[in-house]
């Protein structure tokens, strides 16, 4: 396998979300299969290395430096084929010591003890280590004190089990607790053994057993002793380690380059969105045209497209998305009719209605409004607000009326029923409870920024955690929905509040929210333009998904090709 050739082509798909992580795993896989560096016939074969290790063990045993071990069974079934100069063996055969640490007595002033939190992929982190009493430390056998080149292998804990590091010049009298296994190699290159334990053949299996399990999964010392190892000649072990270090440094460069690209892209995106969200009236149209032309090329992540959607909504409710038409009936006139309709249907006194519709400077409607627009409270155009009813357990029936829940609301404000609970509703109350076409359902506790329009004639009722808003016929319910989804509307709802453990909003607070109300004709033009731009955002998201999928397929092709004889022409064609 020509690793340099692979990496040249790899740069073409380095922006795939998991590209570098997969490359790192792939490098380890090639390394432990004998496909990363060439074999050298002059190397001492691995079977000779195993004989020397056995002789060294016998010598240490005679000197009383190690204990006698049980004979380990030969490896009968291997995970994959290895070069002829290699040998399948077991970890216990190429080590002089494998043992889990023991539970210490902790203190605030003593010697460090290594826990699983200390064993990170980046190395040993003693800043999070606890300390052991000197009396407890005195009871440790000398063999338990950690040495240079020892491998520390996490043995418990979902998310931490399987992590392994090689020690480099550890402090004196450093020991491990019972959640970490010490692996002390004999003759074999500790860095190579560490690579094997980090590979998916070992770590992937251990992590897979631990993930999602409610029971604690443990790596016992006996499991470690019996762990199979594909052992190369010692000289080849050194070459493999050097090559892996070189390629991992290349991966670091890829990650750094990608991070730098993302920082630049974020800055450019933020600058363009800032122009849209805080426009200079004299240059706004040119700024908006430039931003909307440039943003598709700058948006490379879903979070950036989300910010673009918010910018579009922000422009919409500030009158910056479409031009004003002097022929439109001013919003003040539709507001007069809307208030009259509210008075008629709610029986509220006209004097109270006039006060209810006024907006002051504290109600999040700061700034100038376009000609023909008006500032008003939601209450000015609100026919009714209704809390979803609460039912007893015995009211729920398979043949009952479906209830709308927050979980039935999509991210774009639609309702998609997902096996909704059904309740028996008295016939004389159904008309009061049910949702009608154009009703806006707002979550009133917890996820208060979540809302959806009820469209159609289906019979359904809001759940107890929703508020149903029904608007005057003088406004577009879709525009009201858009206004509350905009950054100003979400802020008025209290989204992201830290004042209480669980944010909530009531019907009165909803009615008191102030907004900018455009003429009805402009409301529809705004909605049409927003639909058009949101379709663009959908296309951007789809293109991101397609591009990521293309990169993944190319990555799969590169990795599969690298495991087989290299077909340079086919690989180049796939890359282009």
């Amino acid at each position: 396998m020509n690793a340099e050739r692979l990496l040249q082509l790899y740069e073409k798909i380095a922006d795939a979300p998991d590209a570098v992580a997969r490359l790192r795993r792939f490098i380890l896989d090639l390394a432990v299969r004998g496909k990363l560096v060439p074999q050298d016939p002059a190397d001492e074969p691995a079977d000779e290395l195993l004989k020397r290790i056995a002789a060294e063990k016998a010598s240490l045993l005679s000197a009383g430096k190690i204990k006698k071990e049980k004979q380990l069974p030969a490896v009968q079934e291997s995970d994959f084929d290895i070069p002829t100069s290699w040998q399948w063996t077991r970890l216990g055969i190429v080590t002089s010591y494998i043992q889990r640490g023991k539970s210490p007595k902790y203190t605030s002033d003593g010697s460090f003890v290594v826990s699983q939190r200390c064993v990170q992929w980046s190395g040993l982190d003693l800043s999070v280590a606890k300390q052991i009493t000197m009396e407890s430390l005195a009871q440790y056998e000398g063999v338990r004190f950690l040495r240079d080149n020892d491998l520390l292998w996490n043995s418990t804990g979902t998310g931490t089990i399987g992590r392994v590091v090689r020690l480099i010049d550890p402090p004196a009298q450093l020991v491990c607790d019972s959640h970490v296994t010490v692996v002390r190699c004999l003759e074999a290159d500790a860095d190579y053994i560490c690579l094997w334990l980090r590979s998916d053949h070992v770590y992937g299996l251990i992590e897979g057993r631990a993930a999602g399990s409610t029971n604690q999964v443990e790596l016992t010392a006996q499991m470690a002793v019996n762990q199979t190892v594909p052992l190369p000649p010692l000289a080849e072990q050194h070459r493999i380690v050097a090559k892996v270090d070189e390629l991992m440094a290349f991966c670091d460069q890829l990650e750094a380059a990608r991070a730098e690209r993302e920082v630049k892209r974020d800055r450019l995106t933020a600058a363009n969105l800032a122009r849209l969200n805080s426009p200079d009236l004299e240059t706004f149209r040119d700024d908006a045209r430039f931003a909307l032309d440039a943003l598709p090329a700058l948006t490379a992540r879903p979070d950036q497209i989300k910010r673009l959607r918010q910018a579009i909504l922000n422009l919409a409710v500030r009158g910056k998305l479409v031009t004003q038409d002097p022929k439109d009936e001013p919003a003040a006139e539709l507001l007069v009719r809307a208030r009259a309709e509210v008075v008629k249907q709610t029986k509220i006194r006209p004097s109270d209605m006039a006060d209810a519709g006024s907006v002051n400077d504290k109600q999040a409607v700061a700034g100038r409004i376009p000609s023909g627009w008006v500032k008003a409270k939601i209450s000015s155009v609100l026919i009714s607000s209704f809390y979803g009813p609460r039912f007893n357990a015995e009211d729920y029936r398979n043949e009952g009326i479906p209830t709308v829940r927050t979980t039935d609301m999509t991210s774009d404000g639609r309702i998609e029923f997902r096996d909704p609970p059904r309740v028996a509703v008295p016939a004389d109350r159904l008309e009061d409870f049910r949702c009608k076409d154009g009703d806006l359902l707002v979550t009133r506790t917890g996820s208060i920024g979540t809302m959806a329009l009820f469209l159609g004639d289906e019979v359904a009722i809001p759940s107890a955690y929703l508020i149903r808003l029904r608007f005057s016929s003088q406004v577009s319910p879709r525009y009201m929905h858009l206004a509350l989804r905009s950054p100003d509307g979400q802020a008025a709802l209290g989204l992201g509040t830290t004042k209480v453990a669980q944010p909530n909003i009531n019907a009165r607070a909803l009615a008191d929210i102030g907004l900018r109300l455009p003429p009805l004709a402009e409301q529809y033009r705004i909605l049409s333009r927003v639909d058009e731009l949101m379709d663009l955002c959908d296309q951007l998201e789809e293109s991101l998904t397609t591009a990521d999928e293309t990169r993944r397929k190319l990555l799969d092709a590169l990795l599969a090709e690298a495991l087989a004889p290299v077909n340079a022409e086919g690989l180049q064609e796939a890359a282009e």
Side-chain angles (χ1 to χ4, degrees):
M1 200 250 350
N2 188 328
E4 286 74 15
R5 173 66 175 161
L6 169 66
L7 294 176
Q8 288 172 5
L9 296 174
Y10 190 87
E11 292 181 352
K12 294 179 179 293
I13 42 78
D15 274 335
D18 58 349
V20 177
R22 287 187 64 186
L23 179 57
R24 290 186 189 277
R25 296 198 304 271
F26 179 66
I27 290 168
L28 292 182
D29 188 54
L30 292 178
V32 300
R33 288 174 180 267
K35 294 180 177 290
L36 196 61
V37 301
Q39 281 71 52
D40 188 341
D43 290 343
E44 175 193 63
D47 57 355
E48 293 297 322
L49 172 60
L50 287 171
K51 291 177 183 177
R52 289 195 291 107
I53 291 174
E56 179 66 16
K57 275 195 171 184
S59 175
L60 292 173
L61 181 62
S62 298
K65 293 182 178 180
I66 63 173
K67 296 179 180 180
K68 187 174 182 179
E69 302 168 341
K70 293 182 180 179
Q71 186 172 355
L72 296 175
V75 178
Q76 300 295 332
E77 296 183 4
S78 57
D79 294 341
F80 47 81
D81 293 332
I82 55 177
T84 56
S85 57
W86 292 34
Q87 286 286 324
W88 278 102
T89 186
R90 296 190 185 276
L91 191 58
I93 291 176
V94 296
T95 53
S96 62
Y97 179 77
I98 296 180
Q99 183 64 54
R100 283 177 66 163
K102 61 180 183 179
S103 299
K105 292 181 180 179
Y106 294 110
T107 182
S108 58
D109 183 20
S111 182
F112 286 132
V113 57
V114 175
S115 68
Q116 63 211 58
R117 291 180 60 203
C118 301
V119 179
Q120 300 291 330
W121 290 121
S122 56
L124 187 67
D125 180 10
L126 290 179
S127 68
V128 294
K130 294 182 179 180
Q131 298 182 57
I132 183 175
T133 64
M134 300 310 295
E135 293 79 9
S136 179
L137 191 64
Q139 299 175 16
Y140 278 72
E141 306 167 82
V143 71
R144 286 189 178 271
F145 292 117
L146 300 180
R147 307 175 188 179
D148 195 38
N149 280 331
D150 278 353
L151 302 181
L152 305 185
W153 199 5
N154 279 350
S155 306
T156 64
T158 302
T160 60
I161 188 172
R163 284 202 303 242
V164 57
V165 299
R166 179 179 71 85
L167 274 183
I168 301 174
D169 193 22
Q173 292 192 311
L174 184 65
V175 294
C176 290
D177 69 14
S178 60
H179 300 289
V180 180
T181 296
V182 181
V183 177
R184 191 163 294 154
C185 296
L186 189 62
E187 295 288 334
D189 188 324
D191 276 319
Y192 171 77
I193 300 299
C194 188
L195 295 180
W196 167 245
L197 299 181
R198 286 181 172 218
S199 74
D200 282 348
H201 298 286
V202 181
Y203 173 72
L205 293 176
I206 292 173
E207 186 189 36
R209 288 202 303 266
S213 175
T214 55
N215 297 319
Q216 184 82 337
V217 176
E218 294 200 10
L219 171 67
T220 66
Q222 194 58 40
M223 290 168 62
V225 166
N226 281 287
Q227 174 63 56
T228 58
V229 178
L231 189 70
L234 185 59
E236 188 173 345
Q237 292 178 39
H238 299 329
R239 293 198 301 273
I240 289 171
V241 168
K243 191 62 175 178
V244 168
D245 286 345
E246 175 190 337
L247 295 180
M248 290 301 177
F250 180 82
C251 289
D252 292 341
Q253 294 172 19
L254 284 177
E255 285 183 324
R258 181 177 180 180
E260 184 177 355
R261 288 196 302 272
E262 290 302 316
V263 168
K264 291 179 179 178
R265 185 179 282 127
D266 281 342
R267 287 174 179 169
L268 288 170
T269 303
N272 276 294
L273 293 177
R275 288 181 177 182
L276 296 180
N277 288 321
S278 301
D280 181 326
L281 295 180
E282 295 182 0
T283 64
F284 174 74
R285 296 202 181 280
D286 289 338
D287 290 344
R289 185 178 301 108
F290 173 81
L292 293 176
D293 287 343
L295 282 171
L298 296 175
T299 49
R301 300 194 314 268
D303 65 287
Q304 292 170 330
I305 296 177
K306 181 178 180 180
R307 289 161 60 192
L308 176 55
R309 291 185 190 275
Q310 289 297 297
I312 291 168
L313 295 179
N314 189 39
L315 293 172
V317 299
R318 292 171 182 260
K320 303 296 183 181
L321 204 57
V322 300
T323 57
Q324 281 72 54
D325 187 341
K327 296 179 182 178
D328 290 341
E329 177 190 58
E333 294 185 22
L334 75 83
L335 192 60
V336 170
R337 292 196 304 275
R339 285 174 171 169
E341 184 180 354
V342 171
V343 168
K344 180 178 180 180
Q345 296 200 32
T346 62
K347 308 303 182 183
I348 188 173
R349 291 182 300 178
S351 58
D352 292 337
M353 186 65 220
D355 178 66
S358 62
V359 176
N360 58 50
D361 291 337
K362 297 181 179 180
Q363 289 169 320
V365 198
R368 295 164 55 185
I369 58 174
S371 174
W373 289 44
V374 68
K375 295 180 181 180
K377 288 183 181 179
I378 288 180
S379 58
S380 300
V381 294
L382 187 63
I383 297 297
S384 70
S385 57
F386 172 76
Y387 288 93
R390 294 185 179 277
F391 293 93
N392 298 318
E394 59 270 19
D395 294 324
Y396 287 88
R397 313 279 177 79
N398 290 335
E399 68 281 2
I401 304 298
T403 58
V404 184
R405 303 161 297 172
T406 300
T407 52
D408 297 319
M409 298 178 180
T410 65
S411 60
D412 57 354
R414 294 176 294 106
I415 295 172
E416 292 182 357
F417 286 111
R418 299 175 173 85
D419 192 22
R422 295 173 177 270
V423 293
V425 179
D428 61 339
R429 300 303 309 276
L430 180 58
E431 193 62 24
D432 295 332
F433 289 176
R434 66 171 296 184
C435 300
K436 293 185 178 180
D437 186 54
D439 284 350
L440 181 61
L441 304 179
V442 181
T443 304
R444 66 183 178 92
T445 184
S447 303
I448 61 173
T450 305
M451 65 189 77
L453 272 178
F454 189 90
L455 302 174
D457 297 325
E458 184 173 356
V459 178
I461 61 174
S463 67
Y465 293 101
L466 301 181
I467 300 175
R468 186 195 70 198
L469 302 181
R470 186 166 294 163
F471 299 106
S472 162
S473 61
Q474 301 302 311
V475 296
S476 165
R478 283 194 63 210
Y479 180 81
M480 301 302 293
H481 183 204
L482 182 151
L484 287 173
R485 286 170 55 206
S486 72
D488 284 350
Q490 294 285 281
L493 283 168
L495 188 67
T497 181
T498 56
K499 295 180 180 179
V500 292
Q502 183 169 343
N504 60 78
I505 192 167
N506 57 40
R508 183 180 182 85
L510 267 174
D512 278 342
I513 290 176
L515 51 79
R516 304 173 184 87
L517 192 64
L520 185 58
E522 188 172 344
Q523 292 178 35
Y524 290 120
R525 291 199 302 276
I526 289 171
L527 292 169
S528 178
R529 182 60 174 156
V530 167
D531 287 344
E532 178 185 338
L533 294 176
M534 290 302 177
D535 283 343
L536 171 63
C537 291
D538 291 341
Q539 294 170 26
L540 288 173
E541 285 181 328
E542 185 177 351
S543 68
L544 290 185
T545 302
T546 302
D548 286 344
E549 184 60 28
T550 300
R551 293 187 185 105
R552 285 193 179 96
K553 287 180 179 178
L554 180 54
L555 178 56
D556 289 339
L558 286 173
L559 301 187
E561 192 75 25
L563 285 173
V566 175
N567 180 341
E569 292 182 2
L571 205 53
Q572 180 65 38
E573 183 179 343
E576 294 174 350

